[in-house]
Amino acid sequence: MDTTFLLIGAILIMAGILVSPLSTRIGMPVLLLFLGVGMLAGEDGPGRIGFDDVSTAFVVANLALAIILLDGGMRTRVESFRVGLRPALLLATLGVVITALICGLAAMWLLDLPLLVGLLIGAIISSTDASAVFSLLQGSGLNLNERVEATLEIESGSNDPMAVFLTLMIIQLLQDAGNNSLWSAPLMLVQQLGLGTLTGLASGFLLTKLLAKVVLVPAMYPLLVVSSGIVLFSGTNLLGGSGFLAIYLMGIVLAANKNPRMPAILQIHDGLSWLAQLVLFLLLGLLVDPSQLLVSLPAALLIALVLIFVARPLATLVSLSPFGFSRREHLFISWVGLRGAVPIVLALFPLMAGLPDAGTIFQITFVVVLVSLLLQGSTLAALARKLKLEIPGRPEPKLRIALDAPEAGSHELLLFPLKGERWKNAVEIIDLHLPAPSRIVMFFRNGQMFERRRGLYVQEHDVIAVFAHRDQAGDIGQILGWEEPPARLTDHRFFGEFTVNGQATIGDIQANYGIHGLRFEPALTLSQCFVQVFHGHPVIGDRLDLGSMLLVVRDVQGDRVTQVGLKLSREL
């Protein structure tokens, strides 16, 4: 057996993993580094590996994207749908069409191409990429306000069907100039979206029931989920539906049902998702021929600039206008229109179809993705902070283990390390009070275990073990959390000096703080004011500027603001 291919593949994966820490040091998206490793290993690089098997690349890329979308769906909080679902769906449909049209016309003009070929390029680069968005949002350490984060995540996971539909429709038109192609286009769209939605939701509910009933070795549950996802993805595609949409929706349904095994499943899927991204970008890097990119580089750069600075902002403006997004939010969402693996995979469709301009289309798409990852991906965190869209995060446990026993219900074992200035001075462990029904059961120090009892103190570097309901991890993290936040995200700087109840009225604020001339009726509560300004869906971090006072949403329950931070000094 010739193991050369396995040896080379393993070496490339190791190289990608080992260079990944550079991403945080040089401010470059880790996915771009994986792509770079693949290009260096390719035929024009020092690796001199010749790879031009489009069919194999197509199959592997689709499998990797399916795993990435499943993981993204399982990490999407259904609670965020109240603020992100409608704008995300409009951005994933109308926004994709607007982007494809503008970029397609630009490509036609810049490259002197036929209209349909130009529109094909626009369709291929029209969708944001879930793998790029998910990895950058999760890996950048950003805690964005819920409205922005939910919209970006749902959009990136759900806009692939429209891009696939547009791509396949235009390829069909290029291959068949008859009217049948035009008549079949609406049917194709309904089939893609309808079957994808139906099979995704049904499979999610069935798999949820199966996970609750079947008894397996714990390590088998993540494998059951990923294998079921691949079956769904492949079967939906065979039926003519969108496998991308189906597997993403299945992940969302699994997350919504909050199976007690989900934390353990997600831990395994985190590794699977990273492996899928790494393999995908390495393979695509091998597939490209850098020397050929130079031919179409000037026009491709111009198309990328049209996409980033014209098409995406206009699509965002039109799609999000009905939903009350602020200018800062519009700007950030338009900037995070990251292109990644999906456009490159879609660029394989013309190659598979044997279109005359397929090589040019692939090269242009590759350059657009490189520019997007380099320019947008590397500036994402800085822009979010500049636009003040980052909010204080809640520390998560270092480890969480679901108690795999019916008697334990939805309780978990959580481990919290103690770090930061707040733990420099020892604290008696019985003085740490957690919300019921959670309980501190023990703590660890230098490899030794200690009980929770009077006379024992905890300090920095200790690790506390807690039994808690799975929904309490965030609240407990606020109490035991490690890592002092940056000065700009401390409660005092971000929310202000005072906290008032969301049911306090504008009249109360006027009376207590001597502020007059406010634009709201005195009888309105602060919660009602936020609901009015933010179209019914306020989120933590939303602000109302009242002149000499700034109100900041501190906590919400559904669409009701329960706590408001109050800043009297604008320098805070």
Side-chain angles (χ1 to χ4, degrees), residues 45 82 93 97 117 134 139 152 162 175 275 299 387 396 426 482:
R82 72 180 182 88
T93 50
V97 173
V117 177
F134 289 147
L152 287 171
M162 180 59 75
Q175 292 178 324
L275 179 62
L387 296 175
E396 290 293 320
W482 62 98

Side-chain angles (χ1 to χ4, degrees), residues 544-566:
L544 282 182
D545 189 347
L546 303 181
S548 58
M549 175 187 294
L550 190 67
L551 301 179
V552 185
V553 175
R554 191 182 184 99
D555 196 18
V556 294
Q557 292 182 1
D559 288 328
R560 183 171 60 87
V561 177
T562 57
Q563 289 187 335
V564 177
L566 190 149

Side-chain angles (χ1 to χ4, degrees), residues 205-286:
F205 285 115
L206 289 175
L207 186 55
T208 299
K209 299 295 183 184
L210 185 61
L211 287 173
K213 292 182 179 297
V214 69
V215 179
L216 300 171
V217 176
M220 292 295 182
Y221 290 106
L223 299 181
L224 175 62
V225 170
V226 74
S227 59
S228 300
I230 294 170
V231 168
L232 169 65
F233 176 78
S234 305
T236 305
N237 282 332
L238 285 175
L239 292 173
S242 171
F244 294 123
L245 179 61
I247 199 168
Y248 179 66
L249 290 176
M250 188 183 88
I252 289 176
V253 174
L254 288 176
N257 283 275
K258 297 183 178 179
N259 187 289
R261 297 188 178 94
M262 282 304 293
I265 290 173
L266 285 174
Q267 283 184 338
I268 301 299
H269 267 274
D270 192 34
L272 287 176
S273 178
W274 273 111
L275 179 62
Q277 293 179 66
L278 194 153
V279 171
L280 175 58
F281 277 80
L282 285 176
L283 189 64
L284 294 175
L286 281 173

Side-chain angles (χ1 to χ4, degrees), residues 102-104 106-108 110-111 113 118 121-122 125 296-309 311 364-365 368 371:
I102 294 174
C103 291
M108 178 192 72
L110 290 169
L111 294 168
L113 294 171
I121 294 174
I125 64 175
S296 53
L297 182 62
L301 287 174
L302 289 174
I303 293 171
L305 294 178
V306 169
L307 168 66
I308 294 171
F309 293 104
I364 290 172
T365 302
V368 169
V371 173

